[in-house]
Amino acid sequence: MKKIQCSFMVVLFTSIFLAGCSKSVITDGRTNVTKEMDQIISDFIIDYYKGVLPPSDKQFEVHNVYGMEKKNDNLIVYFYSLFGTYNLSTKTESQAGHSLPALIKLKRQGYSYSVVEYEEPDEGDPGVSLKRMFPRKYVKQVRNNQGDLEKLDLQMKKKVKQWLVEHK
């Protein structure tokens, strides 16, 4: 009996240890997005708008992730994005950008991720496309996101001010 208990304890502790060491990306339906994934999302959006918006000295993107789910071999990240373009001459005044919910599909490529798909709501009827894009639980969060927008705005201002300090 002691041998069975001991074996059970070894298996239990090994499982807990391995779970703690792995980079889990899903926690109770909420997200645990890695810094690498955050950077991939921001870099993708900045690159996505190159050539679409008027030229600028610098572009920034910040986002709030509502959640993530795994489908097939892809991770689908549901988030709210704040993107802006800035010029040294206009300082903290954004020249162009967006503030909108979006989703991005990431696929593991070795030790990193690549973007498989990026989608924003339709301009003509964002409510309908949002319901199509997002699970219901995240649609409610998007509609009640005033506090999130304020936090994103503060994050954006911090990034822009740091950039301005570096370029004095």
Side-chain angles (χ1 to χ4, degrees), residues 43-73:
D43 290 347
F44 178 84
I45 291 172
I46 289 168
D47 192 54
Y48 183 81
Y49 280 99
K50 279 187 182 162
V52 174
L53 298 174
S56 61
D57 294 329
K58 187 72 175 170
Q59 307 79 37
F60 295 99
E61 192 276 342
V62 293
H63 53 268
N64 176 46
V65 176
Y66 295 117
M68 181 172 18
E69 62 186 22
K70 188 172 185 174
K71 283 192 179 174
N72 302 324
D73 289 333

mmCIF file of all heavy atoms in Angstrom, residues 43-73:
data_model
loop_
_atom_site.group_PDB
_atom_site.id
_atom_site.type_symbol
_atom_site.label_atom_id
_atom_site.label_comp_id
_atom_site.label_asym_id
_atom_site.label_seq_id
_atom_site.Cartn_x
_atom_site.Cartn_y
_atom_site.Cartn_z
ATOM 1 N N ASP A 43 3.612 43.839 -33.568
ATOM 2 C CA ASP A 43 4.427 43.948 -34.783
ATOM 3 C C ASP A 43 3.593 43.688 -36.030
ATOM 4 O O ASP A 43 3.745 44.373 -37.050
ATOM 5 C CB ASP A 43 5.603 42.974 -34.740
ATOM 6 C CG ASP A 43 6.655 43.352 -33.716
ATOM 7 O OD1 ASP A 43 6.625 44.488 -33.193
ATOM 8 O OD2 ASP A 43 7.516 42.490 -33.412
ATOM 9 N N PHE A 44 2.719 42.696 -35.967
ATOM 10 C CA PHE A 44 1.892 42.369 -37.119
ATOM 11 C C PHE A 44 0.980 43.554 -37.487
ATOM 12 O O PHE A 44 0.868 43.918 -38.651
ATOM 13 C CB PHE A 44 1.039 41.120 -36.868
ATOM 14 C CG PHE A 44 0.144 40.806 -38.036
ATOM 15 C CD1 PHE A 44 0.627 40.083 -39.113
ATOM 16 C CD2 PHE A 44 -1.159 41.278 -38.077
ATOM 17 C CE1 PHE A 44 -0.185 39.821 -40.217
ATOM 18 C CE2 PHE A 44 -1.972 41.018 -39.169
ATOM 19 C CZ PHE A 44 -1.485 40.290 -40.239
ATOM 20 N N ILE A 45 0.324 44.130 -36.491
ATOM 21 C CA ILE A 45 -0.612 45.235 -36.760
ATOM 22 C C ILE A 45 0.134 46.444 -37.305
ATOM 23 O O ILE A 45 -0.319 47.080 -38.269
ATOM 24 C CB ILE A 45 -1.425 45.575 -35.498
ATOM 25 C CG1 ILE A 45 -2.385 44.414 -35.203
ATOM 26 C CG2 ILE A 45 -2.198 46.887 -35.674
ATOM 27 C CD1 ILE A 45 -3.107 44.499 -33.897
ATOM 28 N N ILE A 46 1.286 46.761 -36.742
ATOM 29 C CA ILE A 46 2.080 47.883 -37.253
ATOM 30 C C ILE A 46 2.459 47.627 -38.705
ATOM 31 O O ILE A 46 2.326 48.501 -39.562
ATOM 32 C CB ILE A 46 3.317 48.118 -36.361
ATOM 33 C CG1 ILE A 46 2.868 48.691 -35.011
ATOM 34 C CG2 ILE A 46 4.324 49.030 -37.047
ATOM 35 C CD1 ILE A 46 3.949 48.706 -33.945
ATOM 36 N N ASP A 47 2.906 46.429 -39.018
ATOM 37 C CA ASP A 47 3.281 46.078 -40.390
ATOM 38 C C ASP A 47 2.067 46.059 -41.320
ATOM 39 O O ASP A 47 2.146 46.467 -42.471
ATOM 40 C CB ASP A 47 3.988 44.722 -40.395
ATOM 41 C CG ASP A 47 4.655 44.434 -41.713
ATOM 42 O OD1 ASP A 47 5.451 45.283 -42.165
ATOM 43 O OD2 ASP A 47 4.376 43.366 -42.303
ATOM 44 N N TYR A 48 0.933 45.600 -40.809
ATOM 45 C CA TYR A 48 -0.312 45.499 -41.581
ATOM 46 C C TYR A 48 -0.747 46.872 -42.122
ATOM 47 O O TYR A 48 -1.261 46.974 -43.226
ATOM 48 C CB TYR A 48 -1.399 44.923 -40.665
ATOM 49 C CG TYR A 48 -2.743 44.678 -41.288
ATOM 50 C CD1 TYR A 48 -2.986 43.534 -42.035
ATOM 51 C CD2 TYR A 48 -3.794 45.585 -41.110
ATOM 52 C CE1 TYR A 48 -4.249 43.285 -42.585
ATOM 53 C CE2 TYR A 48 -5.045 45.346 -41.657
ATOM 54 C CZ TYR A 48 -5.266 44.194 -42.389
ATOM 55 O OH TYR A 48 -6.503 43.956 -42.928
ATOM 56 N N TYR A 49 -0.520 47.913 -41.341
ATOM 57 C CA TYR A 49 -0.958 49.255 -41.748
ATOM 58 C C TYR A 49 0.099 50.060 -42.489
ATOM 59 O O TYR A 49 -0.174 51.179 -42.926
ATOM 60 C CB TYR A 49 -1.475 50.026 -40.523
ATOM 61 C CG TYR A 49 -2.882 49.626 -40.176
ATOM 62 C CD1 TYR A 49 -3.132 48.706 -39.170
ATOM 63 C CD2 TYR A 49 -3.965 50.131 -40.894
ATOM 64 C CE1 TYR A 49 -4.432 48.316 -38.872
ATOM 65 C CE2 TYR A 49 -5.258 49.737 -40.597
ATOM 66 C CZ TYR A 49 -5.482 48.838 -39.586
ATOM 67 O OH TYR A 49 -6.771 48.436 -39.306
ATOM 68 N N LYS A 50 1.297 49.516 -42.665
ATOM 69 C CA LYS A 50 2.315 50.209 -43.456
ATOM 70 C C LYS A 50 1.817 50.327 -44.887
ATOM 71 O O LYS A 50 1.345 49.369 -45.481
ATOM 72 C CB LYS A 50 3.637 49.453 -43.436
ATOM 73 C CG LYS A 50 4.436 49.715 -42.196
ATOM 74 C CD LYS A 50 5.801 49.087 -42.269
ATOM 75 C CE LYS A 50 6.506 49.371 -40.964
ATOM 76 N NZ LYS A 50 7.618 48.492 -40.740
ATOM 77 N N GLY A 51 1.914 51.513 -45.436
ATOM 78 C CA GLY A 51 1.470 51.739 -46.805
ATOM 79 C C GLY A 51 -0.024 52.000 -46.921
ATOM 80 O O GLY A 51 -0.499 52.434 -47.963
ATOM 81 N N VAL A 52 -0.793 51.733 -45.867
ATOM 82 C CA VAL A 52 -2.236 51.994 -45.883
ATOM 83 C C VAL A 52 -2.503 53.405 -45.374
ATOM 84 O O VAL A 52 -3.336 54.127 -45.923
ATOM 85 C CB VAL A 52 -2.993 50.957 -45.015
ATOM 86 C CG1 VAL A 52 -4.468 51.300 -44.907
ATOM 87 C CG2 VAL A 52 -2.801 49.556 -45.564
ATOM 88 N N LEU A 53 -1.784 53.788 -44.330
ATOM 89 C CA LEU A 53 -1.940 55.104 -43.720
ATOM 90 C C LEU A 53 -0.815 56.020 -44.200
ATOM 91 O O LEU A 53 0.230 55.531 -44.643
ATOM 92 C CB LEU A 53 -1.917 54.979 -42.195
ATOM 93 C CG LEU A 53 -3.036 54.128 -41.594
ATOM 94 C CD1 LEU A 53 -2.831 53.956 -40.096
ATOM 95 C CD2 LEU A 53 -4.391 54.745 -41.869
ATOM 96 N N PRO A 54 -1.012 57.327 -44.090
ATOM 97 C CA PRO A 54 0.063 58.252 -44.494
ATOM 98 C C PRO A 54 1.361 57.951 -43.728
ATOM 99 O O PRO A 54 1.313 57.496 -42.582
ATOM 100 C CB PRO A 54 -0.484 59.628 -44.104
ATOM 101 C CG PRO A 54 -1.964 59.455 -44.014
ATOM 102 C CD PRO A 54 -2.195 58.032 -43.606
ATOM 103 N N PRO A 55 2.496 58.211 -44.345
ATOM 104 C CA PRO A 55 3.778 57.942 -43.687
ATOM 105 C C PRO A 55 3.895 58.715 -42.363
ATOM 106 O O PRO A 55 3.358 59.805 -42.211
ATOM 107 C CB PRO A 55 4.821 58.452 -44.686
ATOM 108 C CG PRO A 55 4.110 58.518 -45.987
ATOM 109 C CD PRO A 55 2.667 58.753 -45.679
ATOM 110 N N SER A 56 4.610 58.104 -41.412
ATOM 111 C CA SER A 56 4.820 58.734 -40.112
ATOM 112 C C SER A 56 6.189 58.340 -39.592
ATOM 113 O O SER A 56 6.813 57.410 -40.095
ATOM 114 C CB SER A 56 3.726 58.308 -39.134
ATOM 115 O OG SER A 56 3.756 56.912 -38.950
ATOM 116 N N ASP A 57 6.636 59.043 -38.551
ATOM 117 C CA ASP A 57 7.945 58.740 -37.966
ATOM 118 C C ASP A 57 7.925 57.457 -37.140
ATOM 119 O O ASP A 57 8.901 56.721 -37.110
ATOM 120 C CB ASP A 57 8.402 59.899 -37.075
ATOM 121 C CG ASP A 57 8.667 61.168 -37.875
ATOM 122 O OD1 ASP A 57 9.071 61.058 -39.055
ATOM 123 O OD2 ASP A 57 8.471 62.268 -37.323
ATOM 124 N N LYS A 58 6.807 57.193 -36.470
ATOM 125 C CA LYS A 58 6.739 56.023 -35.594
ATOM 126 C C LYS A 58 5.298 55.562 -35.445
ATOM 127 O O LYS A 58 4.379 56.367 -35.455
ATOM 128 C CB LYS A 58 7.325 56.376 -34.207
ATOM 129 C CG LYS A 58 7.460 55.232 -33.266
ATOM 130 C CD LYS A 58 8.567 54.283 -33.661
ATOM 131 C CE LYS A 58 8.742 53.212 -32.589
ATOM 132 N NZ LYS A 58 9.612 52.153 -33.008
ATOM 133 N N GLN A 59 5.120 54.257 -35.300
ATOM 134 C CA GLN A 59 3.805 53.667 -35.097
ATOM 135 C C GLN A 59 3.857 52.833 -33.814
ATOM 136 O O GLN A 59 4.856 52.183 -33.536
ATOM 137 C CB GLN A 59 3.400 52.743 -36.260
ATOM 138 C CG GLN A 59 3.487 53.372 -37.629
ATOM 139 C CD GLN A 59 4.898 53.421 -38.167
ATOM 140 O OE1 GLN A 59 5.689 52.514 -37.962
ATOM 141 N NE2 GLN A 59 5.228 54.499 -38.864
ATOM 142 N N PHE A 60 2.744 52.867 -33.068
ATOM 143 C CA PHE A 60 2.645 52.096 -31.841
ATOM 144 C C PHE A 60 1.317 51.361 -31.811
ATOM 145 O O PHE A 60 0.311 51.851 -32.338
ATOM 146 C CB PHE A 60 2.712 53.007 -30.596
ATOM 147 C CG PHE A 60 4.020 53.700 -30.425
ATOM 148 C CD1 PHE A 60 4.182 55.008 -30.836
ATOM 149 C CD2 PHE A 60 5.105 53.040 -29.842
ATOM 150 C CE1 PHE A 60 5.387 55.664 -30.672
ATOM 151 C CE2 PHE A 60 6.309 53.691 -29.679
ATOM 152 C CZ PHE A 60 6.460 55.002 -30.091
ATOM 153 N N GLU A 61 1.321 50.201 -31.168
ATOM 154 C CA GLU A 61 0.085 49.437 -30.964
ATOM 155 C C GLU A 61 0.116 48.864 -29.556
ATOM 156 O O GLU A 61 1.134 48.350 -29.106
ATOM 157 C CB GLU A 61 -0.026 48.298 -31.977
ATOM 158 C CG GLU A 61 -1.390 47.625 -32.026
ATOM 159 C CD GLU A 61 -1.621 46.539 -30.987
ATOM 160 O OE1 GLU A 61 -0.638 46.020 -30.407
ATOM 161 O OE2 GLU A 61 -2.780 46.194 -30.739
ATOM 162 N N VAL A 62 -1.005 48.998 -28.862
ATOM 163 C CA VAL A 62 -1.190 48.368 -27.554
ATOM 164 C C VAL A 62 -2.532 47.651 -27.600
ATOM 165 O O VAL A 62 -3.408 48.020 -28.383
ATOM 166 C CB VAL A 62 -1.146 49.392 -26.391
ATOM 167 C CG1 VAL A 62 0.249 49.986 -26.255
ATOM 168 C CG2 VAL A 62 -2.184 50.474 -26.568
ATOM 169 N N HIS A 63 -2.678 46.627 -26.787
ATOM 170 C CA HIS A 63 -3.929 45.874 -26.835
ATOM 171 C C HIS A 63 -4.266 45.258 -25.493
ATOM 172 O O HIS A 63 -3.403 45.078 -24.640
ATOM 173 C CB HIS A 63 -3.878 44.791 -27.928
ATOM 174 C CG HIS A 63 -2.699 43.888 -27.816
ATOM 175 N ND1 HIS A 63 -1.512 44.129 -28.459
ATOM 176 C CD2 HIS A 63 -2.513 42.748 -27.116
ATOM 177 C CE1 HIS A 63 -0.651 43.169 -28.183
ATOM 178 N NE2 HIS A 63 -1.230 42.314 -27.356
ATOM 179 N N ASN A 64 -5.532 44.953 -25.347
ATOM 180 C CA ASN A 64 -6.052 44.255 -24.177
ATOM 181 C C ASN A 64 -6.647 42.945 -24.666
ATOM 182 O O ASN A 64 -7.549 42.943 -25.500
ATOM 183 C CB ASN A 64 -7.122 45.092 -23.484
ATOM 184 C CG ASN A 64 -7.742 44.361 -22.324
ATOM 185 O OD1 ASN A 64 -7.048 43.768 -21.503
ATOM 186 N ND2 ASN A 64 -9.062 44.367 -22.253
ATOM 187 N N VAL A 65 -6.132 41.835 -24.167
ATOM 188 C CA VAL A 65 -6.603 40.520 -24.597
ATOM 189 C C VAL A 65 -7.786 40.108 -23.728
ATOM 190 O O VAL A 65 -7.714 40.124 -22.511
ATOM 191 C CB VAL A 65 -5.478 39.469 -24.502
ATOM 192 C CG1 VAL A 65 -6.002 38.086 -24.855
ATOM 193 C CG2 VAL A 65 -4.328 39.856 -25.422
ATOM 194 N N TYR A 66 -8.888 39.758 -24.385
ATOM 195 C CA TYR A 66 -10.082 39.273 -23.689
ATOM 196 C C TYR A 66 -9.974 37.791 -23.378
ATOM 197 O O TYR A 66 -10.434 37.320 -22.353
ATOM 198 C CB TYR A 66 -11.335 39.515 -24.522
ATOM 199 C CG TYR A 66 -11.631 40.963 -24.724
ATOM 200 C CD1 TYR A 66 -11.618 41.524 -25.992
ATOM 201 C CD2 TYR A 66 -11.937 41.793 -23.655
ATOM 202 C CE1 TYR A 66 -11.897 42.858 -26.180
ATOM 203 C CE2 TYR A 66 -12.210 43.128 -23.831
ATOM 204 C CZ TYR A 66 -12.192 43.661 -25.099
ATOM 205 O OH TYR A 66 -12.454 44.987 -25.277
ATOM 206 N N GLY A 67 -9.397 37.050 -24.294
ATOM 207 C CA GLY A 67 -9.277 35.619 -24.108
ATOM 208 C C GLY A 67 -8.667 34.962 -25.324
ATOM 209 O O GLY A 67 -8.368 35.612 -26.319
ATOM 210 N N MET A 68 -8.506 33.662 -25.203
ATOM 211 C CA MET A 68 -7.856 32.901 -26.255
ATOM 212 C C MET A 68 -8.428 31.495 -26.247
ATOM 213 O O MET A 68 -8.839 30.991 -25.202
ATOM 214 C CB MET A 68 -6.358 32.878 -25.954
ATOM 215 C CG MET A 68 -5.541 32.163 -26.956
ATOM 216 S SD MET A 68 -3.746 32.348 -26.719
ATOM 217 C CE MET A 68 -3.529 32.898 -25.071
ATOM 218 N N GLU A 69 -8.459 30.895 -27.412
ATOM 219 C CA GLU A 69 -8.868 29.498 -27.485
ATOM 220 C C GLU A 69 -8.039 28.788 -28.530
ATOM 221 O O GLU A 69 -7.504 29.416 -29.441
ATOM 222 C CB GLU A 69 -10.371 29.375 -27.768
ATOM 223 C CG GLU A 69 -10.828 29.968 -29.077
ATOM 224 C CD GLU A 69 -12.346 29.944 -29.226
ATOM 225 O OE1 GLU A 69 -13.058 29.874 -28.216
ATOM 226 O OE2 GLU A 69 -12.798 29.993 -30.371
ATOM 227 N N LYS A 70 -7.935 27.502 -28.351
ATOM 228 C CA LYS A 70 -7.175 26.689 -29.292
ATOM 229 C C LYS A 70 -8.157 25.968 -30.194
ATOM 230 O O LYS A 70 -9.087 25.325 -29.724
ATOM 231 C CB LYS A 70 -6.314 25.683 -28.524
ATOM 232 C CG LYS A 70 -5.350 24.940 -29.406
ATOM 233 C CD LYS A 70 -4.394 24.114 -28.590
ATOM 234 C CE LYS A 70 -3.369 23.485 -29.528
ATOM 235 N NZ LYS A 70 -2.331 22.788 -28.810
ATOM 236 N N LYS A 71 -7.959 26.127 -31.505
ATOM 237 C CA LYS A 71 -8.756 25.411 -32.501
ATOM 238 C C LYS A 71 -7.788 24.801 -33.505
ATOM 239 O O LYS A 71 -6.983 25.516 -34.091
ATOM 240 C CB LYS A 71 -9.726 26.355 -33.225
ATOM 241 C CG LYS A 71 -10.936 26.719 -32.405
ATOM 242 C CD LYS A 71 -11.981 27.403 -33.259
ATOM 243 C CE LYS A 71 -13.198 27.733 -32.431
ATOM 244 N NZ LYS A 71 -14.175 28.510 -33.180
ATOM 245 N N ASN A 72 -7.921 23.504 -33.674
ATOM 246 C CA ASN A 72 -6.986 22.754 -34.515
ATOM 247 C C ASN A 72 -5.584 23.008 -33.990
ATOM 248 O O ASN A 72 -5.320 22.802 -32.838
ATOM 249 C CB ASN A 72 -7.165 23.113 -35.990
ATOM 250 C CG ASN A 72 -8.587 22.858 -36.472
ATOM 251 O OD1 ASN A 72 -9.227 21.907 -36.053
ATOM 252 N ND2 ASN A 72 -9.096 23.730 -37.324
ATOM 253 N N ASP A 73 -4.688 23.479 -34.823
ATOM 254 C CA ASP A 73 -3.327 23.781 -34.369
ATOM 255 C C ASP A 73 -3.108 25.276 -34.196
ATOM 256 O O ASP A 73 -1.965 25.735 -34.136
ATOM 257 C CB ASP A 73 -2.303 23.229 -35.373
ATOM 258 C CG ASP A 73 -2.237 21.717 -35.341
ATOM 259 O OD1 ASP A 73 -2.542 21.139 -34.277
ATOM 260 O OD2 ASP A 73 -1.887 21.107 -36.373
#
